[in-house]
Amino acid sequence: MGGTFDPIHHGHLVAASEVAHRFGLGRVIFTPTGQPWHKQRTATAGEDRYLMTVIATAADTRFEVSRVDIDREGPTYTVDTLRDLQGAFETAHPGESAEWFFITGADALSEIVGWHDPDGIVDRAHLVGVTRPGHHLADPGLPDGVVTLIEIPALAISSSDIRTRVAAGEPVDYLVPEGVARWIRKRRLYAKAER
Ligand code: NAP
């Protein structure tokens, strides 16, 4: 499951759980992006986003967090994310096979044809785009059968709304796991309004 996770919130966790249930996934590996090159806004330091993702997912045995995108130099390309995860799997489980899915926000996925090596991504994983209620499920223009779009009601929660709330001194309790809310306070993240 790829995302900037700035910060991770309960919508992401519900989406991961729902997709795991629908597809019978044994594991969901969260991959916080490196410094996002394609955004106007400067994202929070990768280490903070990584640690918040670890805190948020720690209690669920299906969930893991990978540093592949945080540790790789340069822009985060999903084809590299998948290549690194699949390479690590082959090393750890020689001779075994696995079915791979790349889960992310449907808004992000709708741009995939402009991403680096979209054919390589599609060759490596089935795509799952999750979206918030009321948002149009944009067709990413890919051939039939390579992408599944799923509406997740809990994705009414958004990272940008959480950042705005923190900057305004409003509570984020129950929007993010308690440990994440504490990390935001401890590190004084999002104190300045920036969407
Ligand atoms: P984003 O622009 O930060 O997010 C776009 C929308 O999707 C937002 O509404 C966001 O909501 C939602 N979203 C993002 N990740 C989500 C997730 N895991 N679950 C549910 N909703 C999610 O998107 P991004 O984080 O930069 O990119 C998403 C993924 O696509 C990352 O893994 C990134 O590396 C990859 N990507 C790859 C390329 C490439 O290969 N060239 C280009 C762009 C993106 P929230 O803000 O609430 O999360």
mmCIF file of all heavy atoms in Angstrom, residues 7-11 13 51-59 157 162 166 171-187 189:
data_model
loop_
_atom_site.group_PDB
_atom_site.id
_atom_site.type_symbol
_atom_site.label_atom_id
_atom_site.label_comp_id
_atom_site.label_asym_id
_atom_site.label_seq_id
_atom_site.Cartn_x
_atom_site.Cartn_y
_atom_site.Cartn_z
ATOM 1 N N PRO A 7 -0.326 12.846 7.702
ATOM 2 C CA PRO A 7 0.038 11.600 8.390
ATOM 3 C C PRO A 7 -0.878 10.448 7.962
ATOM 4 O O PRO A 7 -1.906 10.655 7.325
ATOM 5 C CB PRO A 7 -0.264 11.947 9.867
ATOM 6 C CG PRO A 7 -1.503 12.808 9.763
ATOM 7 C CD PRO A 7 -1.346 13.605 8.481
ATOM 8 N N ILE A 8 -0.493 9.230 8.390
ATOM 9 C CA ILE A 8 -1.392 8.075 8.249
ATOM 10 C C ILE A 8 -2.609 8.289 9.140
ATOM 11 O O ILE A 8 -2.495 8.893 10.208
ATOM 12 C CB ILE A 8 -0.650 6.760 8.600
ATOM 13 C CG1 ILE A 8 -1.497 5.548 8.188
ATOM 14 C CG2 ILE A 8 -0.216 6.726 10.058
ATOM 15 C CD1 ILE A 8 -0.716 4.240 8.122
ATOM 16 N N HIS A 9 -3.784 7.843 8.685
ATOM 17 C CA HIS A 9 -5.016 8.029 9.471
ATOM 18 C C HIS A 9 -5.871 6.760 9.397
ATOM 19 O O HIS A 9 -5.518 5.794 8.685
ATOM 20 C CB HIS A 9 -5.790 9.263 8.985
ATOM 21 C CG HIS A 9 -6.061 9.303 7.506
ATOM 22 N ND1 HIS A 9 -6.897 8.404 6.886
ATOM 23 C CD2 HIS A 9 -5.597 10.128 6.522
ATOM 24 C CE1 HIS A 9 -6.958 8.699 5.598
ATOM 25 N NE2 HIS A 9 -6.161 9.732 5.340
ATOM 26 N N HIS A 10 -7.002 6.793 10.131
ATOM 27 C CA HIS A 10 -7.830 5.592 10.198
ATOM 28 C C HIS A 10 -8.439 5.218 8.849
ATOM 29 O O HIS A 10 -8.719 4.046 8.606
ATOM 30 C CB HIS A 10 -8.918 5.758 11.261
ATOM 31 C CG HIS A 10 -8.427 5.433 12.638
ATOM 32 N ND1 HIS A 10 -8.550 6.288 13.714
ATOM 33 C CD2 HIS A 10 -7.784 4.335 13.105
ATOM 34 C CE1 HIS A 10 -7.999 5.723 14.780
ATOM 35 N NE2 HIS A 10 -7.533 4.543 14.439
ATOM 36 N N GLY A 11 -8.622 6.187 7.947
ATOM 37 C CA GLY A 11 -9.127 5.865 6.609
ATOM 38 C C GLY A 11 -8.179 4.932 5.876
ATOM 39 O O GLY A 11 -8.603 3.965 5.230
ATOM 40 N N LEU A 13 -6.107 2.847 7.251
ATOM 41 C CA LEU A 13 -6.103 1.530 7.914
ATOM 42 C C LEU A 13 -7.359 0.739 7.546
ATOM 43 O O LEU A 13 -7.289 -0.470 7.284
ATOM 44 C CB LEU A 13 -5.995 1.710 9.434
ATOM 45 C CG LEU A 13 -4.706 2.409 9.893
ATOM 46 C CD1 LEU A 13 -4.773 2.753 11.379
ATOM 47 C CD2 LEU A 13 -3.483 1.542 9.605
ATOM 48 N N LEU A 51 7.816 6.474 10.884
ATOM 49 C CA LEU A 51 7.565 6.079 12.275
ATOM 50 C C LEU A 51 6.075 6.141 12.616
ATOM 51 O O LEU A 51 5.556 5.263 13.318
ATOM 52 C CB LEU A 51 8.390 6.945 13.234
ATOM 53 C CG LEU A 51 9.881 6.600 13.221
ATOM 54 C CD1 LEU A 51 10.699 7.632 13.968
ATOM 55 C CD2 LEU A 51 10.126 5.206 13.804
ATOM 56 N N MET A 52 5.373 7.156 12.105
ATOM 57 C CA MET A 52 3.923 7.210 12.360
ATOM 58 C C MET A 52 3.227 6.002 11.732
ATOM 59 O O MET A 52 2.266 5.464 12.298
ATOM 60 C CB MET A 52 3.327 8.516 11.810
ATOM 61 C CG MET A 52 3.708 9.736 12.632
ATOM 62 S SD MET A 52 2.783 11.230 12.160
ATOM 63 C CE MET A 52 3.581 11.687 10.626
ATOM 64 N N THR A 53 3.720 5.560 10.568
ATOM 65 C CA THR A 53 3.110 4.393 9.903
ATOM 66 C C THR A 53 3.385 3.126 10.715
ATOM 67 O O THR A 53 2.493 2.273 10.868
ATOM 68 C CB THR A 53 3.636 4.279 8.453
ATOM 69 O OG1 THR A 53 3.457 5.532 7.798
ATOM 70 C CG2 THR A 53 2.903 3.209 7.677
ATOM 71 N N VAL A 54 4.584 3.020 11.277
ATOM 72 C CA VAL A 54 4.906 1.870 12.133
ATOM 73 C C VAL A 54 3.997 1.876 13.368
ATOM 74 O O VAL A 54 3.407 0.846 13.738
ATOM 75 C CB VAL A 54 6.393 1.902 12.559
ATOM 76 C CG1 VAL A 54 6.674 0.874 13.656
ATOM 77 C CG2 VAL A 54 7.296 1.648 11.352
ATOM 78 N N ILE A 55 3.858 3.041 13.997
ATOM 79 C CA ILE A 55 3.022 3.150 15.210
ATOM 80 C C ILE A 55 1.579 2.741 14.883
ATOM 81 O O ILE A 55 0.950 1.972 15.601
ATOM 82 C CB ILE A 55 3.066 4.602 15.754
ATOM 83 C CG1 ILE A 55 4.457 4.929 16.317
ATOM 84 C CG2 ILE A 55 1.982 4.839 16.801
ATOM 85 C CD1 ILE A 55 4.700 6.423 16.562
ATOM 86 N N ALA A 56 1.066 3.239 13.767
ATOM 87 C CA ALA A 56 -0.344 3.015 13.413
ATOM 88 C C ALA A 56 -0.650 1.555 13.086
ATOM 89 O O ALA A 56 -1.773 1.086 13.287
ATOM 90 C CB ALA A 56 -0.717 3.898 12.219
ATOM 91 N N THR A 57 0.351 0.830 12.561
ATOM 92 C CA THR A 57 0.092 -0.522 12.061
ATOM 93 C C THR A 57 0.584 -1.610 13.014
ATOM 94 O O THR A 57 0.352 -2.795 12.762
ATOM 95 C CB THR A 57 0.790 -0.738 10.694
ATOM 96 O OG1 THR A 57 2.191 -0.457 10.839
ATOM 97 C CG2 THR A 57 0.210 0.166 9.621
ATOM 98 N N ALA A 58 1.234 -1.199 14.109
ATOM 99 C CA ALA A 58 1.951 -2.164 14.953
ATOM 100 C C ALA A 58 1.064 -3.286 15.494
ATOM 101 O O ALA A 58 1.515 -4.431 15.627
ATOM 102 C CB ALA A 58 2.632 -1.437 16.112
ATOM 103 N N ALA A 59 -0.193 -2.979 15.795
ATOM 104 C CA ALA A 59 -1.032 -3.970 16.480
ATOM 105 C C ALA A 59 -1.671 -4.989 15.534
ATOM 106 O O ALA A 59 -2.253 -5.969 15.995
ATOM 107 C CB ALA A 59 -2.120 -3.246 17.275
ATOM 108 N N ILE A 157 -12.052 10.710 5.973
ATOM 109 C CA ILE A 157 -10.890 11.277 6.678
ATOM 110 C C ILE A 157 -9.797 11.510 5.626
ATOM 111 O O ILE A 157 -9.572 10.662 4.773
ATOM 112 C CB ILE A 157 -10.361 10.291 7.747
ATOM 113 C CG1 ILE A 157 -11.461 9.943 8.747
ATOM 114 C CG2 ILE A 157 -9.144 10.862 8.468
ATOM 115 C CD1 ILE A 157 -11.083 8.802 9.698
ATOM 116 N N ILE A 162 -6.466 16.660 8.281
ATOM 117 C CA ILE A 162 -5.804 16.493 9.586
ATOM 118 C C ILE A 162 -4.726 17.568 9.766
ATOM 119 O O ILE A 162 -4.641 18.198 10.826
ATOM 120 C CB ILE A 162 -5.221 15.070 9.714
ATOM 121 C CG1 ILE A 162 -6.375 14.082 9.869
ATOM 122 C CG2 ILE A 162 -4.262 14.970 10.906
ATOM 123 C CD1 ILE A 162 -5.998 12.651 9.641
ATOM 124 N N VAL A 166 -4.733 20.372 12.779
ATOM 125 C CA VAL A 166 -3.634 20.542 13.744
ATOM 126 C C VAL A 166 -3.151 21.990 13.722
ATOM 127 O O VAL A 166 -2.953 22.612 14.773
ATOM 128 C CB VAL A 166 -2.476 19.564 13.440
ATOM 129 C CG1 VAL A 166 -1.277 19.859 14.335
ATOM 130 C CG2 VAL A 166 -2.926 18.119 13.617
ATOM 131 N N PRO A 171 -8.768 19.294 17.516
ATOM 132 C CA PRO A 171 -8.349 17.927 17.852
ATOM 133 C C PRO A 171 -8.381 16.988 16.647
ATOM 134 O O PRO A 171 -9.174 17.177 15.729
ATOM 135 C CB PRO A 171 -9.397 17.485 18.884
ATOM 136 C CG PRO A 171 -10.585 18.339 18.613
ATOM 137 C CD PRO A 171 -10.079 19.642 18.074
ATOM 138 N N VAL A 172 -7.496 15.991 16.681
ATOM 139 C CA VAL A 172 -7.512 14.948 15.642
ATOM 140 C C VAL A 172 -7.755 13.572 16.274
ATOM 141 O O VAL A 172 -7.571 12.552 15.621
ATOM 142 C CB VAL A 172 -6.221 14.943 14.792
ATOM 143 C CG1 VAL A 172 -6.108 16.227 13.994
ATOM 144 C CG2 VAL A 172 -4.975 14.726 15.634
ATOM 145 N N ASP A 173 -8.192 13.592 17.557
ATOM 146 C CA ASP A 173 -8.493 12.333 18.236
ATOM 147 C C ASP A 173 -9.526 11.552 17.434
ATOM 148 O O ASP A 173 -10.479 12.128 16.924
ATOM 149 C CB ASP A 173 -9.056 12.616 19.639
ATOM 150 C CG ASP A 173 -8.112 13.501 20.428
ATOM 151 O OD1 ASP A 173 -7.007 13.056 20.707
ATOM 152 O OD2 ASP A 173 -8.490 14.663 20.698
ATOM 153 N N TYR A 174 -9.306 10.254 17.339
ATOM 154 C CA TYR A 174 -10.186 9.303 16.640
ATOM 155 C C TYR A 174 -10.112 9.413 15.113
ATOM 156 O O TYR A 174 -10.671 8.588 14.412
ATOM 157 C CB TYR A 174 -11.638 9.394 17.142
ATOM 158 C CG TYR A 174 -11.701 9.275 18.648
ATOM 159 C CD1 TYR A 174 -12.061 10.366 19.431
ATOM 160 C CD2 TYR A 174 -11.331 8.096 19.278
ATOM 161 C CE1 TYR A 174 -12.063 10.266 20.811
ATOM 162 C CE2 TYR A 174 -11.325 7.992 20.658
ATOM 163 C CZ TYR A 174 -11.697 9.080 21.430
ATOM 164 O OH TYR A 174 -11.684 8.980 22.779
ATOM 165 N N LEU A 175 -9.437 10.427 14.591
ATOM 166 C CA LEU A 175 -9.179 10.476 13.140
ATOM 167 C C LEU A 175 -7.890 9.715 12.823
ATOM 168 O O LEU A 175 -7.766 9.090 11.769
ATOM 169 C CB LEU A 175 -9.041 11.924 12.659
ATOM 170 C CG LEU A 175 -10.276 12.808 12.851
ATOM 171 C CD1 LEU A 175 -9.960 14.243 12.449
ATOM 172 C CD2 LEU A 175 -11.453 12.283 12.036
ATOM 173 N N VAL A 176 -6.942 9.785 13.768
ATOM 174 C CA VAL A 176 -5.681 9.038 13.646
ATOM 175 C C VAL A 176 -5.549 8.179 14.892
ATOM 176 O O VAL A 176 -6.138 8.490 15.930
ATOM 177 C CB VAL A 176 -4.450 9.984 13.534
ATOM 178 C CG1 VAL A 176 -4.526 10.840 12.282
ATOM 179 C CG2 VAL A 176 -4.294 10.853 14.765
ATOM 180 N N PRO A 177 -4.775 7.072 14.830
ATOM 181 C CA PRO A 177 -4.546 6.281 16.038
ATOM 182 C C PRO A 177 -3.921 7.162 17.134
ATOM 183 O O PRO A 177 -3.196 8.122 16.848
ATOM 184 C CB PRO A 177 -3.566 5.203 15.568
ATOM 185 C CG PRO A 177 -3.809 5.071 14.102
ATOM 186 C CD PRO A 177 -4.134 6.477 13.640
ATOM 187 N N GLU A 178 -4.203 6.800 18.388
ATOM 188 C CA GLU A 178 -3.761 7.639 19.507
ATOM 189 C C GLU A 178 -2.240 7.873 19.485
ATOM 190 O O GLU A 178 -1.770 8.979 19.744
ATOM 191 C CB GLU A 178 -4.168 6.970 20.827
ATOM 192 C CG GLU A 178 -3.906 7.853 22.021
ATOM 193 C CD GLU A 178 -4.184 7.145 23.339
ATOM 194 O OE1 GLU A 178 -4.857 6.103 23.324
ATOM 195 O OE2 GLU A 178 -3.702 7.647 24.368
ATOM 196 N N GLY A 179 -1.476 6.808 19.167
ATOM 197 C CA GLY A 179 -0.014 6.940 19.137
ATOM 198 C C GLY A 179 0.445 7.937 18.087
ATOM 199 O O GLY A 179 1.447 8.645 18.270
ATOM 200 N N VAL A 180 -0.288 8.011 16.971
ATOM 201 C CA VAL A 180 0.049 8.961 15.909
ATOM 202 C C VAL A 180 -0.255 10.391 16.386
ATOM 203 O O VAL A 180 0.545 11.311 16.185
ATOM 204 C CB VAL A 180 -0.703 8.626 14.605
ATOM 205 C CG1 VAL A 180 -0.520 9.721 13.550
ATOM 206 C CG2 VAL A 180 -0.237 7.277 14.060
ATOM 207 N N ALA A 181 -1.403 10.576 17.067
ATOM 208 C CA ALA A 181 -1.742 11.904 17.601
ATOM 209 C C ALA A 181 -0.660 12.359 18.582
ATOM 210 O O ALA A 181 -0.245 13.526 18.587
ATOM 211 C CB ALA A 181 -3.103 11.861 18.289
ATOM 212 N N ARG A 182 -0.173 11.427 19.402
ATOM 213 C CA ARG A 182 0.893 11.771 20.369
ATOM 214 C C ARG A 182 2.195 12.124 19.646
ATOM 215 O O ARG A 182 2.910 13.027 20.053
ATOM 216 C CB ARG A 182 1.144 10.585 21.311
ATOM 217 C CG ARG A 182 0.049 10.441 22.353
ATOM 218 C CD ARG A 182 0.254 9.139 23.109
ATOM 219 N NE ARG A 182 -0.766 8.970 24.106
ATOM 220 C CZ ARG A 182 -0.584 9.225 25.405
ATOM 221 N NH1 ARG A 182 0.578 9.649 25.839
ATOM 222 N NH2 ARG A 182 -1.564 9.052 26.253
ATOM 223 N N TRP A 183 2.509 11.367 18.573
ATOM 224 C CA TRP A 183 3.743 11.649 17.819
ATOM 225 C C TRP A 183 3.666 13.042 17.173
ATOM 226 O O TRP A 183 4.635 13.798 17.185
ATOM 227 C CB TRP A 183 3.985 10.575 16.750
ATOM 228 C CG TRP A 183 5.343 10.701 16.135
ATOM 229 C CD1 TRP A 183 5.668 11.353 14.973
ATOM 230 C CD2 TRP A 183 6.569 10.196 16.655
ATOM 231 N NE1 TRP A 183 7.023 11.275 14.744
ATOM 232 C CE2 TRP A 183 7.597 10.566 15.772
ATOM 233 C CE3 TRP A 183 6.892 9.461 17.804
ATOM 234 C CZ2 TRP A 183 8.929 10.231 15.986
ATOM 235 C CZ3 TRP A 183 8.225 9.119 18.011
ATOM 236 C CH2 TRP A 183 9.223 9.502 17.108
ATOM 237 N N ILE A 184 2.491 13.372 16.647
ATOM 238 C CA ILE A 184 2.302 14.701 16.036
ATOM 239 C C ILE A 184 2.554 15.793 17.086
ATOM 240 O O ILE A 184 3.249 16.777 16.831
ATOM 241 C CB ILE A 184 0.877 14.827 15.431
ATOM 242 C CG1 ILE A 184 0.744 13.913 14.203
ATOM 243 C CG2 ILE A 184 0.551 16.271 15.074
ATOM 244 C CD1 ILE A 184 -0.678 13.761 13.673
ATOM 245 N N ARG A 185 2.019 15.572 18.296
ATOM 246 C CA ARG A 185 2.212 16.582 19.356
ATOM 247 C C ARG A 185 3.670 16.644 19.786
ATOM 248 O O ARG A 185 4.250 17.716 19.908
ATOM 249 C CB ARG A 185 1.335 16.237 20.577
ATOM 250 C CG ARG A 185 -0.121 16.658 20.408
ATOM 251 C CD ARG A 185 -0.852 16.698 21.728
ATOM 252 N NE ARG A 185 -1.036 15.374 22.307
ATOM 253 C CZ ARG A 185 -2.046 14.559 22.017
ATOM 254 N NH1 ARG A 185 -2.952 14.929 21.155
ATOM 255 N NH2 ARG A 185 -2.140 13.370 22.586
ATOM 256 N N LYS A 186 4.264 15.444 20.008
ATOM 257 C CA LYS A 186 5.646 15.384 20.490
ATOM 258 C C LYS A 186 6.609 16.071 19.520
ATOM 259 O O LYS A 186 7.515 16.794 19.924
ATOM 260 C CB LYS A 186 6.040 13.913 20.661
ATOM 261 C CG LYS A 186 7.463 13.690 21.143
ATOM 262 C CD LYS A 186 7.706 12.209 21.373
ATOM 263 C CE LYS A 186 9.162 11.959 21.720
ATOM 264 N NZ LYS A 186 9.401 10.531 21.995
ATOM 265 N N ARG A 187 6.402 15.843 18.219
ATOM 266 C CA ARG A 187 7.324 16.386 17.205
ATOM 267 C C ARG A 187 6.850 17.742 16.662
ATOM 268 O O ARG A 187 7.453 18.285 15.760
ATOM 269 C CB ARG A 187 7.433 15.377 16.049
ATOM 270 C CG ARG A 187 8.022 14.044 16.494
ATOM 271 C CD ARG A 187 9.528 14.085 16.510
ATOM 272 N NE ARG A 187 10.031 14.296 15.181
ATOM 273 C CZ ARG A 187 11.175 14.949 14.893
ATOM 274 N NH1 ARG A 187 11.888 15.452 15.859
ATOM 275 N NH2 ARG A 187 11.566 15.091 13.647
ATOM 276 N N LEU A 189 4.452 18.488 14.695
ATOM 277 C CA LEU A 189 4.223 18.441 13.247
ATOM 278 C C LEU A 189 2.977 19.253 12.890
ATOM 279 O O LEU A 189 2.065 19.379 13.701
ATOM 280 C CB LEU A 189 4.038 16.992 12.782
ATOM 281 C CG LEU A 189 5.172 16.012 13.100
ATOM 282 C CD1 LEU A 189 4.829 14.617 12.601
ATOM 283 C CD2 LEU A 189 6.493 16.486 12.498
#
